[in-house]
Amino acid sequence: GDSVTQMEGPVTLSEEAFLTINCTYTATGYPSLFWYVQYPGEGLQLLLKATKADDKGSNKGFEATYRKETTSFHLEKGSVQVSDSAVYFCALSDLNGNQFYFGTGTSLTVIP
Amino acid sequence: DTGVSQDPRHKITKRGQNVTFRCDPISEHNRLYWYRQTLGQGPEFLTYFQNEAQLEKSRLLSDRFSAERPKGSFSTLEIQRTEQGDSAMYLCASSLGGPVQETQYFGPGTRLLVL
């Protein structure tokens, strides 16, 4: 079945460091791919998405490219800030768009 | 519209009791989803509605769980004869229907603790 495998955390970075959180997926067909973020004490929020191969999603300085050949959707940011401290979830939607599959989440802490 | 809302935000109950949660989606969204999230894990899909029709239900979902969306607007999730293993955060999300999977917008969740 469809699934998402996400880099385990926690990840601790200094401010302005480069961030990569790896995400790979297994799916039938061509799913849509998402990154959601959960800030402390808040609900899940969409960070970015890509709906087809080679699409690049971007938001708030974060980017992820839908790589069909490597079945990956790695999240990157060139310079993290303390305010980026949160849990990041990679997710995919199935072919029919009826179910979402989430990774286990990666906790990021950015220290000044 | 202020987004997806859920009620209550917290619920403490004793094992064996029934509980019911409510979700109000974004008004123009016709799709509604329920998820369960335990500590250190990502959300786990439970069930999905398109308008009032329940179209998908996780094979992992116990018969003690039932969900309704009677008028295609708000939804309720009921857990009967609760067990300690039901303790989790229950999340609701909504989205627009369409040929391409639309973004799901999540509510704040209902945190359930079964004693």
Side-chain angles (χ1 to χ4, degrees):
Chain A
D2 295 0
S3 66
V4 172
T5 301
Q6 191 173 338
M7 185 175 89
E8 291 189 14
V11 174
T12 303
L13 293 174
S14 298
E15 206 165 21
E16 299 184 2
F18 183 83
L19 169 71
T20 299
I21 301 177
N22 290 337
C23 173
T24 57
Y25 68 90
T26 301
T28 303
Y30 305 99
S32 294
L33 300 174
F34 304 80
W35 277 100
Y36 278 82
V37 59
Q38 191 168 29
Y39 297 103
E42 298 185 15
L44 280 163
Q45 303 173 26
L46 177 70
L47 181 58
L48 53 85
K49 69 177 184 180
T51 58
K52 61 182 187 295
D54 300 325
D55 268 4
K56 178 185 284 187
S58 62
N59 186 27
K60 298 182 181 179
F62 290 89
E63 293 183 339
T65 301
Y66 188 162
R67 301 285 188 199
K68 183 173 180 292
E69 63 276 13
T70 55
T71 62
S72 66
F73 193 56
H74 304 321
L75 181 68
E76 296 182 336
K77 186 174 185 181
S79 176
V80 294
Q81 306 300 312
V82 172
S83 58
D84 294 326
S85 297
V87 181
Y88 293 81
F89 293 92
C90 185
L92 69 82
S93 68
D94 70 352
L95 189 61
N96 298 319
N98 295 342
Q99 292 201 26
F100 261 39
Y101 298 89
F102 283 83
T104 54
T106 301
S107 174
L108 170 67
T109 300
V110 181
I111 55 178
Chain B
D1 192 293
T2 57
V4 179
S5 61
Q6 293 186 245
D7 184 71
R9 296 290 304 276
H10 300 90
K11 179 70 176 180
I12 300 174
T13 191
K14 293 182 180 179
R15 189 176 54 185
Q17 298 294 305
N18 299 343
V19 294
T20 300
F21 309 141
R22 176 179 170 124
C23 171
D24 287 271
I26 294 172
S27 57
E28 63 267 28
H29 286 181
N30 58 3
R31 292 187 175 183
L32 188 147
Y33 305 78
W34 285 100
Y35 293 87
R36 175 173 57 196
Q37 186 179 18
T38 53
L39 196 63
Q41 299 296 315
E44 175 192 19
F45 170 81
L46 295 180
T47 190
Y48 148 67
F49 290 85
Q50 172 105 2
N51 299 312
E52 66 275 11
Q54 188 173 17
L55 298 186
E56 291 277 349
K57 190 174 177 180
S58 170
R59 290 188 298 274
L60 302 176
L61 198 60
S62 161
D63 289 343
R64 296 183 295 104
F65 287 70
S66 62
E68 293 182 344
R69 194 183 183 197
K71 298 182 180 179
S73 56
F74 74 91
S75 175
T76 58
L77 176 69
E78 181 182 17
I79 309 174
Q80 296 181 326
R81 304 181 303 281
T82 53
E83 302 173 355
Q84 288 183 328
D86 297 331
S87 297
M89 176 76 86
Y90 290 85
L91 298 171
C92 176
S94 70
S95 71
L96 288 169
V100 176
Q101 177 58 37
E102 293 288 336
T103 301
Q104 294 191 9
Y105 294 86
F106 283 81
T110 295
R111 185 171 295 282
L112 172 66
L113 177 61
V114 181
L115 301 177

